[in-house]
């Protein structure tokens, strides 16, 4: 990306900075994957995950969110990646995903997974790729 955004936003894992009400609204009302998710369910998910927030450096307003479920040894699941509608197209999604992956590097994880119906190009820039052998993967629950 040509523009250095580092002076205009912060990415943090500080859970005290998270605007939980805004995150819940984004995910339960505007995402395709978590529509209708209850606030209680979202709070439990956040409590049991590594959370990342993107913030406007000047105002401190939260502009995005992502969370990672991990054992910090072998595996991580990147999920709930969301950038506020008015902040999209500025490279924040890429920066958020890259920061989450960089944060996970010291754990030496074998695999970081995600599931998405869109924004594949953003994830590909960070190194994510489609499964080479999807027939070896299975899921239990909603698909």
């Amino acid at each position: 990306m040509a523009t250095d955004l580092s002076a205009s936003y912060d990415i943090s894992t500080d859970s005290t900075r998270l605007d939980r009400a805004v995150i819940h609204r984004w995910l339960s009302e505007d995402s395709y994957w978590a529509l209708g998710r209850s606030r209680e369910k979202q709070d439990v998910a956040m409590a049991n995950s590594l959370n990342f927030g993107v913030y406007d450096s000047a105002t401190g307003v939260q502009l995005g969110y992502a969370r990672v479920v991990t054992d910090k040894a072998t595996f991580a699941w990147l999920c709930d990646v969301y950038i506020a509608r008015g902040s999209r197209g500025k490279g924040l999604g890429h920066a958020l995903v890259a920061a989450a992956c960089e944060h996970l590097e010291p754990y030496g994880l074998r695999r970081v997974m995600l599931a998405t119906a869109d924004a594949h190009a953003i994830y590909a820039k960070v190194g994510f790729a489609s499964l080479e052998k999807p027939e070896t993967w299975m899921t239990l629950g909603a698909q």
Side-chain angles (χ1 to χ4, degrees), residues 105-123:
E105 283 178 10
Y107 300 128
L109 304 174
R110 180 172 181 209
R111 183 172 288 116
V112 178
M113 301 285 299
L114 69 93
T116 185
D118 61 5
H120 289 87
I122 290 171
Y123 299 107

Side-chain angles (χ1 to χ4, degrees), residues 66-80:
R67 70 184 180 92
V68 175
V69 180
T70 184
D71 61 9
K72 297 183 180 180
T74 62
F75 182 81
W77 179 267
L78 175 64
C79 53
D80 288 345

Side-chain angles (χ1 to χ4, degrees), residues 4-84:
D4 178 19
L5 299 174
S6 61
S8 50
Y9 71 90
D10 300 314
I11 297 175
S12 175
T13 58
D14 180 354
S15 62
T16 65
R17 294 183 70 185
L18 296 170
D19 188 332
R20 294 172 187 275
V22 167
I23 293 166
H24 176 253
R25 189 180 81 248
W26 285 340
L27 297 178
S28 69
E29 296 177 13
D30 194 43
S31 74
Y32 66 85
W33 65 90
L35 289 176
R37 183 183 289 169
S38 73
R39 175 66 191 267
E40 294 76 21
K41 180 77 74 178
Q42 183 63 40
D43 286 345
V44 171
M46 292 174 74
N48 291 298
S49 300
L50 177 59
N51 300 281
F52 295 82
V54 181
Y55 306 90
D56 181 292
S57 293
T59 65
V61 172
Q62 189 165 356
L63 306 173
Y65 174 74
R67 70 184 180 92
V68 175
V69 180
T70 184
D71 61 9
K72 297 183 180 180
T74 62
F75 182 81
W77 179 267
L78 175 64
C79 53
D80 288 345
V81 179
Y82 187 94
I83 300 297

